[in-house]
Amino acid sequence: MENRVVSAKELKAAKAKLQQGVVLSMRGISKSFPGTKALNDVDFTLRKGEIHALMGENGAGKSTLIKVLTGVYPKDEGQIFVDGVEGEAHIHSPQDAQNLGISTVYQEINLCPNLTVAENMFIGRTKNIRVHWRENEKKATEILNSLGIPAQANQELSRCSLAVQQMVAIARAVDMQCKVLILDEPTSSLDEKEVQMLFGLMRDLKNRGVGIIFVTHFLEQVYEVSDRITVLRNGELVGEFPISDLPQVELVARMMGKDLNDLADLEEIGQKKTAGEKVIYNAEKLSSAESKPFDFQIHEGEVNGFTGLLGSGRSESVRAIFGADRVTGGKVEVNGKKVNIAKPHDAMKAGIGYLPEDRKRDGIIADLSVRENIILALQVMKGFFHPMSRKEAESFADEYIKALKIKTASQDTPVGSLSGGNQQKVILARWLLNHPNYLILDEPTRGIDVGTKLEIQKLVLKLAAEENMSITFISSEIEEMLRTCSRLIVMRDRNIVGELTGDDLNQSSVMKTIAGGGQ
Amino acid sequence: MTVKAPEINARRHQPMSNTKLLMLIAIGIFVVMYAAAMLLIGKRFLNLQEIFNLLNNNAYLIILGCALTIVMIGGGIDISVGGVVCLTAMSVAKFLQTSGIEGVPGVLLSMLLALGIGLLFGLEQGFLVSYLGIQPFIVTLAGMFLSRGITTMISSENVPIKHEAFLEMKKVAIQIPGVFKLEIGAAFALIILLLMYLLLRHHKLGRSIYALGGNQQSALMLGINVKRSRFLSYVISSVLAALAGYVFIMHASSGKTSIGLRSEMDAIASAIIGGTLLTGGVGNVFGTFFGVMILSTIQEIMAASKVQESYWQEIASGAMLALFILMQSVVLSRRGKKFVLPSWMKMSKRQ
Amino acid sequence: MIQKTNSRKKHDLSQLIIPLAALGILIVFNLIRGIAIGDLGFFSITTRINNDGNMVLSGNLISIIDDASALAIIAMGMTLVTAACGGQDISVGAVGAISGAVFVKVLDAFGLDNISVLSIVVGLLAAIGVTIIFTLFNGTLVAVFKIQPMIATLILFSCGRSIAYMITGSATPQLNDKLINAIGKTIPGIPIPTPIFLVVIMALILGLVFKLTNLRLYTQTVGINQGAARLNGINPTAIKLLSFVLLGVCVSLASMIQVCRLNQLSHKTLLDAIEMDAILAVAIGGNSLGGGKFRLAGSILGSYIILMLTNTLNDMSVKPESIKAYKAIVIIIIVIAGSPAVKEKISAFWKKVHNSSRRAVAGR
């Protein structure tokens, strides 16, 4: 709170002004969360009547920037200027943002499914106490017709398709005279026809002078509708580019970051080991409620990786391997024997471990102690009726706290109070203690400090080399994957689109494959 | 590149909304019930007055049902209503007996007293639930015991009312002698029913409560004052409970500590049977009205078929409640599946 | 870096802070009141000869602990359900009435004037069996159909006592037997009431279960993070159902104690409103009503505190029916103190105090 007051004073002195044709200007935006700096001195400019793509990988800061702009998070530093507002705009709540003409349409649609289309467009906007149904429906119908949205005003929203629901949200924003329209991953649950419908609407709005911020992970779509691209990485601004100046491959390179000088070189973390002959895990046509059928195998002592942009299906695939989502089909063999993995416990019995992507939601048991978190998986494997003794548990916990250099006040400290990196090490310890034959690490390095990132990569290579463990390693940072994996499976749109080994394991071929030029 | 949308009429025929569908089921069940009553018990149920008797005897329950419907549409629950009914009835009885204020002023003051009790409970519970974020069940459970406890402090004995103006008012009824008779309390309950329908359907607050029950996060994003709407829903609920207490005492004209015992359960059951979803966002006071009628018809059938013990009624309504809760759970999971397709299904369309 | 013993002690104490504080307040209040009215009888423990000619301990404190027995046992079960499901079972009183009805029905089948150890054991086992069926009904609604616990248990809350009535009918059979008295009151030769021992035995059994199985770890894990529990191979549905089974055992035992104490069965009043007290005991015991970490000791202590409160109010000649109102006020105060909004304010306040004191030190 104090921070904001101070910086506001400083920035007032800077007295930036909006240029002609600019509807929104964000200058020097910074935002920290405990343990991480989500945004560091980021600038963003949106012009009248343009579609501006905001790109970046996991943790790049896209959603934080949007949330700062819409008043969900208070910013630590920086200033926001909006067309039509004298001086700095103060946005403290979603309401403030709306009043300034900034509207957001989220992927998970923020409308009420139990109300009608018309109501969703008008609720919460008037001071009128009486609700005029007929009038609202008439007005809504006019707007829907003028925008070409195939919905009926008196229809319950939940009866519309997702695309139409999204368009209704946009119609609401348009009717509120918005100058800035933020579309956060609007296309991720739409099919091709619906996407085209949405793009038609976006172009229409663009011609009416609305500035649109388009957040998506579908590269083709960016090139289809956008005029300009701003790229973020690790909370920092990489740059703003007109669409014609930034070929697709280069965009991927910018998003993933080519030069990571702050990390040590390949030699320093050890040599990659060549995989053994024995197939540890083999799946044919494996599919789950969240992933499409795919084939996959991994050899003893092999480190491989799934790569692809956010939403490409890399996490869903490994979740299917572990049985984390409902498995819908496929044949699975572990060590040459056919097994049925329907739930995580089956996978654990087959010697598979899984460190989930979302540490907070799926990994840690926040209120339990470090010790209980470390022994959890082994304890479950031992069974309900065979609890380990306190002494045993303490010695296991001690061993792994030392081995992984986990910084904690004691074994009894609730794991939720540790830093992100140490929490991640605790979950890693949990699975290592279980001595799996095959360990899946989904984004083990996300949101943690550089030093710990390096430690985890070293550990991955060591486990493969010394304990012959097979490991699947997923990371948004391609450098990390190139350094650790001997085989990369590339995914796009939930399909495996390539498999890279040997000499193909380099930046440019990975990016080409991801961007779609490698076929 | 714009995809042409088909021309749209403003009010084309719509498939039925969940609210209407669930209410129609309730009406259907009532009709079946009543027909069964006619067949099983005969004569008495062929008489028009029998329906009015159901109304007269269950007027307070209709008001309670409205209270619960509103809170439940907002995604909450209020189990203190039975206690508030009892406290109001007892307080009014005690006031009329001991204050010594005769005539119309006494009656008016007793009404103010009832409103005051409802308001106090509503403000307290609404504040705790909405602004302090405490689970509504705990808050209203405490409210239930608080109101029942205070009732016994006022009097643990029966307090019959002998206040003349009050007894005069009680006798007022809408009637055509020999055809039907609707007591003033029942008429009042029907007015409340209509008012609550208007509130929920045509008032900003009512729509906000629907929105909040449909998706709280969205409601917030749509610019609705979520906390205030929720707060007001609890205030309305308690005030309605107090009014129900007044209607009850007009019907019974004697304060007792056993008034309204388990009536909160009947009210919740009525709302659920009438199509109000436990998860909020869907419901309708008319549906609840038919829920009340269904439950009271069951009671009548039980009573008339010489099942003297009241326990069968409780078991029957409990079983009914269980059935409807399960039905809703199934309906909800079905609905979820229908509108949120697993992503792999959608992706296959793209190819 | 690792200071095991110190921090563990600190952690344990912090969980019991609410019940210990409440107990302290009650004791101090009664002490002051006792001194003020010149009678410290509240705290005296004496011996007396009971109707059967046995020497027994008597006094306020003994009767508080004795009276709290059924509550303490149900509170243990309620703690487990709360921890696993993040909600409470409000049908325990009604289900307890069913359990009592089954128990008495079995005794009746053996002959009420011919009660033997065998008939009591069979009766208790039958009661436990039937009760578990009913709590499993609740458990299934909660764990499988994912209905909020309080709504799911509303069904039996509203019609459970009628089911009890269906089993025994309108009669309120009197149970005047030595064996019944030995369970409900005292065993000849032992001056301490038997229910107190039964609480200890139940606590020991659960303690043993915690020692021999992973129940505590699994329950807490499911209560804190159900999704993560599943990803670590735990079956949340099974754990929730298990918590309801254990609650069923607790309710049966408590119901038997209460029937034996009162020497009669009344389906209307047996364990009446115990659900409120049990939830209150769990909350006073420092357990979160939202699930997760739990301490049985806290809930047991909570039960004794509630009875001490009741007893104190009785002592101040508050009518027994009105005590509900006071308890409701206590529960409201506790939930307010534990509410997120208030917690945030308090922690912000502490930080402020802490910072300013640090600044003062630095300034020096």
Side-chain angles (χ1 to χ4, degrees), chain C residues 44-48 56-63 191:
Chain C
S44 76
I45 295 176
T46 53
T47 56
R48 66 176 173 84
V56 291
L57 287 176
S58 89
N60 235 339
L61 292 181
I62 293 292
S63 62

Side-chain angles (χ1 to χ4, degrees), chain C residues 76-350:
Chain C
M76 289 185 228
M78 189 70 90
T79 311
L80 287 175
V81 167
T82 302
C85 309
Q88 289 77 36
D89 182 338
I90 60 167
S91 70
V92 285
V95 173
I98 297 175
S99 170
V102 172
F103 179 64
V104 172
K105 191 86 182 169
V106 172
L107 290 190
D108 197 21
F110 279 90
L112 276 182
D113 40 6
N114 180 25
I115 291 171
S116 63
V117 175
L118 176 74
S119 64
I120 289 181
V121 169
V122 173
L124 181 61
L125 289 180
I128 289 178
V130 172
T131 309
I132 285 176
I133 292 174
F134 280 100
T135 50
L136 268 183
F137 169 74
N138 286 335
T140 309
L141 289 180
V142 171
V144 180
F145 289 92
K146 314 242 171 340
I147 296 166
Q148 305 157 33
M150 282 188 170
I151 300 282
T153 53
L154 195 65
I155 297 167
L156 280 176
F157 175 84
S158 63
C159 70
R161 286 184 190 278
S162 299
I163 296 173
Y165 182 82
M166 216 168 77
I167 295 171
T168 54
S170 59
T172 49
Q174 298 292 315
L175 304 164
N176 288 315
D177 186 272
K178 259 190 263 160
L179 274 172
I180 294 291
N181 279 339
I183 295 173
K185 294 179 178 129
T186 52
I187 297 169
I190 299 175
I192 299 170
T194 318
I196 298 179
F197 289 112
L198 291 175
V199 173
V200 174
I201 289 171
M202 192 67 213
L204 286 178
I205 289 175
L206 281 178
L208 205 64
V209 170
F210 289 149
K211 192 91 192 157
L212 294 181
T213 71
N214 284 315
L215 184 66
R216 176 183 285 275
L217 181 69
Y218 280 28
T219 305
Q220 293 189 148
T221 305
V222 168
I224 296 167
N225 191 337
Q226 194 175 321
R230 203 180 83 84
L231 283 181
N232 283 290
I234 297 173
N235 183 345
T237 310
I239 292 299
K240 287 180 184 173
L241 288 176
L242 184 58
S243 74
F244 273 95
V245 168
L246 289 171
L247 175 65
V249 175
C250 291
V251 168
S252 287
L253 191 61
S255 161
M256 181 189 75
I257 291 174
Q258 212 62 6
V259 167
C260 294
R261 277 168 61 96
L262 302 172
N263 294 107
Q264 66 164 4
L265 170 82
S266 156
H267 71 277
K268 272 223 170 74
T269 56
L270 180 64
L271 296 173
D272 186 32
I274 195 100
E275 52 276 352
M276 165 87 160
D277 282 350
I279 295 170
L280 189 55
V282 171
I284 294 181
N287 300 299
S288 157
L289 291 181
K293 293 206 80 162
F294 68 91
R295 286 193 72 90
L296 282 188
S299 302
I300 297 173
L301 202 53
S303 315
Y304 294 138
I305 291 167
I306 292 169
L307 262 290
M308 194 179 234
L309 175 70
T310 312
N311 203 301
T312 308
L313 291 170
N314 270 334
D315 228 33
M316 294 164 68
S317 51
V318 173
K319 271 186 287 180
E321 312 93 75
S322 312
I323 286 174
K324 272 183 187 174
Y326 292 93
K327 277 190 202 155
I329 291 171
V330 172
I331 210 173
I332 289 171
I333 292 172
I334 286 174
V335 292
I336 289 178
S339 75
V342 172
K343 259 188 190 161
E344 228 166 71
K345 289 245 163 69
I346 291 176
S347 76
F349 174 76
W350 272 118

Side-chain angles (χ1 to χ4, degrees), chain B residues 96-97 102-103 107 160-172 184 246 249-254:
Chain B
L96 289 173
Q97 277 318 97
E102 287 301 322
V107 173
I161 302 177
K162 301 203 175 64
H163 192 278
E164 270 173 30
F166 181 82
L167 292 178
E168 265 322 296
M169 175 180 74
K170 177 178 136 58
K171 277 189 214 140
V172 178
I184 181 169
Y246 203 91
I249 196 79
M250 278 206 290
H251 188 73
S253 65
S254 173

Side-chain angles (χ1 to χ4, degrees), chain A residues 95 98 110-111 114 119 126 128-129 131 133 137 145 148 152 156 158-159 172 190 196 203 289 292, chain B residues 1 5 8 11-12 14 16-17 201-204 207 210 218 221-223 281 339 344 350-351:
Chain A
Q95 210 52 45
Q98 276 190 14
N110 268 298
L111 296 177
N114 57 328
E119 269 200 290
T126 62
N128 282 349
I129 280 180
V131 179
W133 285 85
E137 280 172 13
N145 279 340
Q152 288 172 65
E156 204 172 278
S158 61
R159 291 180 183 274
R172 176 183 165 98
L190 307 187
Q196 285 311 322
R203 291 192 187 99
K292 287 207 264 184
Chain B
M1 202 59 202
I8 301 148
R11 293 191 75 91
R12 207 170 62 185
Q14 280 301 314
M16 205 176 297
S17 69
R201 175 84 184 154
H202 291 290
H203 192 280
K204 192 177 155 191
R207 301 321 292 172
Y210 271 100
S218 296
M221 298 301 238
L222 289 173
F339 293 108
W344 57 268
R350 183 175 294 184
Q351 289 165 340

